[in-house]
Amino acid sequence: MKSMQATQEEYFSFLRSVSLLRDLPEEKLAKIVDCLEIDYFDKGDYIIREGEEGNTFFIIAKGEVCVTQTMEGCTEPQEIKTLGVGDYFGEKALISEDVRSANIISIENDTQCLVVDRDNFNQIVGTYEELQAYLREYVEELSRCDERRNAL
Ligand code: WNU
């Protein structure tokens, strides 16, 4: 029977297709492949809960998720965007050393996420200045988006 598990090589070329990782040196990408875990989620599953502590970074390998967030004046968290294959999330809690700032909910069955823990994330991103600078800027932009939404 053919294994359902993708080969290391398939992960390697998938990761190369992720815009964030496009310019990473070969050996760093290989390191991510070595430390990867895969998590599977069904429709409606919470991958991340706003306000909880988090120590992981995710890359979507299959399926779709939606991002929702508490908003002033709303009783229910509001949907702010959807993410699909090749998109990533969870970097903000790691970079700002804060709790999770939004919910991430699987909106398909069999959504698959590649998961990188904080230590590996720091080793990969922390030793690659351009990537670190890019993510820091992006995270600041997200905070501004959060403020703007709540100011409406
Ligand atoms: C947003 N506000 C906040 C997204 C993913 C990656 C990048 C946008 Cl580089 P976390 C919750 C996660 C958070 C982000 C993600 O949700 N997120 C947002 C927003 O407008 N978070 N506060 N949009 S999708 C996205 C840019 O990854 O990281 O660890 O957990 O706080």
Side-chain angles (χ1 to χ4, degrees):
M1 194 174 78
K2 189 180 185 297
S3 167
M4 294 286 284
Q5 193 86 11
T7 64
Q8 303 286 94
E9 231 166 287
E10 283 171 309
Y11 283 124
F12 195 90
S13 59
F14 170 68
L15 288 172
R16 188 56 91 198
S17 77
V18 174
S19 60
L20 180 73
L21 308 175
R22 198 179 45 204
D23 299 325
L24 269 195
E26 192 101 338
E27 65 274 14
K28 287 220 182 270
L29 217 53
K31 197 178 151 45
I32 303 180
V33 174
D34 284 340
C35 66
L36 270 189
E37 297 205 5
I38 307 143
D39 271 353
Y40 302 82
F41 302 93
D42 280 330
K43 191 171 176 165
D45 286 349
Y46 277 68
I47 304 172
I48 284 181
R49 274 181 200 277
E50 189 175 352
E52 287 190 348
E53 275 178 36
N55 292 298
T56 42
F57 171 70
F58 299 84
I59 302 166
I60 303 171
K62 182 174 184 286
E64 270 194 322
V65 306
C66 77
V67 186
T68 74
Q69 196 177 46
T70 308
M71 246 167 268
E72 266 166 51
C74 303
T75 47
E76 296 290 314
Q78 302 296 302
E79 181 171 327
I80 53 183
K81 66 194 83 166
T82 62
L83 304 174
V85 173
D87 289 333
Y88 47 87
F89 54 89
E91 77 301 327
K92 195 171 190 296
L94 299 183
I95 289 174
S96 2
E97 314 248 3
D98 203 350
V99 294
R100 297 298 194 185
S101 57
N103 299 294
I104 306 281
I105 307 161
S106 173
I107 53 175
E108 280 181 17
N109 284 321
D110 197 32
T111 290
Q112 299 181 13
C113 294
L114 309 183
V115 190
V116 180
D117 69 25
R118 181 189 289 271
D119 284 349
N120 287 310
F121 180 82
N122 285 340
Q123 277 194 39
I124 291 151
V125 173
T127 55
Y128 201 63
E129 249 167 71
E130 287 141 75
L131 195 56
Q132 193 165 25
Y134 175 84
L135 281 175
R136 281 192 180 283
E137 240 171 78
Y138 214 137
V139 160
E140 276 171 36
E141 174 62 20
L142 290 183
S143 296
R144 284 193 293 271
C145 290
D146 293 353
E147 280 171 31
R148 232 177 286 137
R149 265 193 305 270
N150 277 304
L152 284 177

